[in-house]
Amino acid sequence: MTADTHAFRGVLGTRVKICKPADPEAKGLVERGNGYLETSFLPGRTFASPADFNTQLRLWLPLANGRTKRPLGCAPTDRVDADRQAMLPLPPVAPLTGWSQTLRLPRDHYVRLDSNDYSVHPSAVGRCVDVTADLERVRVVCDGRPVADHERVWDIHQTISDPCHVEAAKTLRHERPTTTRGVASELAFLTRTLKAPTLRDAVDRLAERARAEAWTHEEFLAACLQREVSARDAHGGEGRIRAARFPARKSLEEFDFDHARGLERDQIAHLGTLDFVTGKENAIFLGPSDTDKTHLATGLAIRACQAGHRVLFRHRVAVGRPPGRRSQQRSAARGAGPAGALPVT
């Protein structure tokens, strides 16, 4: 159990009993109660919020508890007084409930809770704020001063804006215009936190293109993300190529087909699509020496590295050795000696 669960249990002076799986005398009792609620109370009802759910449940409980239950021999309402006398009194201090989080308020002065965005007074931008929420309200406090108080919304993907926060943000933008230096320093911090150095170097050039070509915000964001993803793919491919331990770096584009006259270009081009890797098949090049079988194998393996696959290159003399754990988990194109490609089944 978590520390919050232990704190809640300790304040109430109770203990938690963990039921065994499929225990009809313990877990089964709880599940039967839940099943009765699902079949007798929930059908045909709709709820706007947890408060609405509790209100409807409160109106339904006297009807359900007033019915005579065969296992009890009476109605549950007849046992309420006796049960209350056996209960401990509630503690003088109520246990802490709800949801809380501490975070640094971003520049857009909104905090997110359950996929919904709630506005905060922009004076707290860049400072640590405490966000607390219960079933009815969402509150934000900065240095003991409340900077937001919203009714909690139970829909999804909503933006809840306080008109006072919107007007304050407009006023602050006019009074304290954002300097280029301030934005640059913040971008440097954010890209360093995200470990996106390529984005940091490219954002200025992309911003200039966005202004000149009148990009939308979405187009500018897509261009930034595409630049970072492309750089990560390229860097990842280089890392996988180094880890493969190729004796020399050779590509399929550099292969001399005039030297290997019996080789079909279309067949090699098809192998270059790496469909045999997707189909979990092997590619073996057979032929006399000095027909550039290793060149073809290396070219296919490098293309596989660039496509995101991990490769381990092994010389022919090492093929007979017991493979290590890494080589068992990788598909490698091996040159074994007319140069052609044959599937192995």
Side-chain angles (χ1 to χ4, degrees):
M1 292 186 295
T2 63
D4 293 338
T5 304
H6 280 296
F8 182 84
R9 174 196 61 78
V11 172
L12 293 179
T14 60
R15 65 186 180 92
V16 177
K17 182 179 179 181
I18 301 177
C19 301
K20 297 180 180 180
D23 185 0
E25 301 299 329
K27 192 172 183 294
L29 296 177
V30 178
E31 296 299 336
R32 282 195 292 273
N34 294 336
Y36 178 73
L37 190 71
E38 292 175 355
T39 56
S40 301
F41 171 69
L42 294 181
R45 296 178 183 265
T46 58
F47 310 100
S49 65
D52 183 28
F53 177 90
N54 289 332
T55 300
Q56 295 189 41
L57 181 63
R58 195 177 297 111
L59 297 175
W60 175 80
L61 283 176
L63 175 63
N65 291 331
R67 299 169 181 167
T68 301
K69 307 297 181 183
R70 183 180 301 175
L72 297 178
C74 62
T77 52
D78 299 335
R79 298 279 188 94
V80 171
D81 293 336
D83 288 345
R84 285 178 177 172
Q85 293 178 0
M87 293 180 183
L88 296 174
L90 291 175
V93 179
L96 295 177
T97 58
W99 178 90
S100 62
Q101 183 183 16
T102 300
L103 51 86
R104 189 177 298 276
L105 187 64
R107 181 181 291 273
D108 64 349
H109 66 87
Y110 279 78
V111 295
R112 172 158 292 191
L113 175 64
D114 289 341
S115 78
N116 294 325
D117 295 328
Y118 298 85
S119 67
V120 181
H121 197 281
S123 61
V125 169
R127 306 171 67 180
C128 289
V129 296
D130 297 320
V131 185
T132 58
D134 53 25
L135 296 180
E136 299 178 355
R137 309 293 300 180
V138 177
R139 299 178 177 87
V140 183
V141 177
C142 179
D143 294 334
R145 176 175 58 92
V147 290
D149 189 355
H150 297 275
E151 181 181 358
R152 186 165 185 177
V153 176
W154 292 96
D155 205 346
I156 60 174
H157 305 305
Q158 301 296 310
T159 300
I160 300 89
S161 301
D162 189 326
C164 296
H165 300 163
V166 176
E167 291 299 325
K170 293 180 180 179
T171 303
L172 288 176
R173 277 195 294 269
H174 289 297
E175 293 178 353
R176 296 182 297 178
T178 303
T179 62
T180 304
R181 183 177 180 181
V183 174
S185 61
E186 185 172 2
L187 287 175
F189 167 75
L190 295 175
T191 52
R192 185 170 60 253
T193 303
L194 293 174
K195 298 181 180 180
T198 303
L199 178 59
R200 178 193 60 205
D201 299 335
V203 67
D204 292 336
R205 296 190 298 273
L206 292 175
E208 292 178 0
R209 288 184 55 192
R211 297 187 192 98
E213 301 174 13
W215 291 356
T216 63
H217 298 297
E218 292 81 2
E219 290 173 336
F220 175 67
L221 176 60
C224 292
L225 296 178
Q226 286 173 356
R227 184 66 61 88
E228 181 62 29
V229 169
S230 298
R232 293 192 179 191
D233 288 343
H235 294 162
E238 290 298 325
R240 288 186 288 270
I241 289 172
R242 290 193 298 269
R245 303 176 184 176
F246 296 115
R249 184 163 179 167
K250 301 178 181 180
S251 65
L252 293 180
E253 292 76 11
E254 300 171 348
F255 185 76
D256 185 7
F257 285 91
D258 295 333
H259 181 66
R261 298 182 182 276
L263 196 62
E264 297 181 5
R265 292 175 179 264
D266 294 340
Q267 194 172 21
I268 298 301
H270 177 70
L271 288 173
T273 62
L274 304 179
D275 288 343
F276 72 96
V277 177
T278 305
K280 299 181 180 180
E281 299 173 344
N282 296 320
I284 297 179
F285 297 98
L286 301 175
S289 60
D290 196 24
T291 51
D292 289 337
K293 299 181 297 299
T294 302
H295 187 155
L296 290 174
T298 303
L300 283 179
I302 288 179
R303 187 163 292 186
C305 291
Q306 294 170 343
H309 301 284
R310 291 182 295 178
V311 173
L312 178 63
F313 184 91
R314 294 175 67 89
H315 289 280
R316 179 175 55 185
V317 295
V319 170
R321 299 174 185 172
R325 183 178 180 182
R326 291 180 61 190
S327 61
Q328 291 176 347
Q329 299 174 351
R330 293 159 173 79
S331 295
R334 299 189 179 98
L342 298 174
V344 176
T345 59

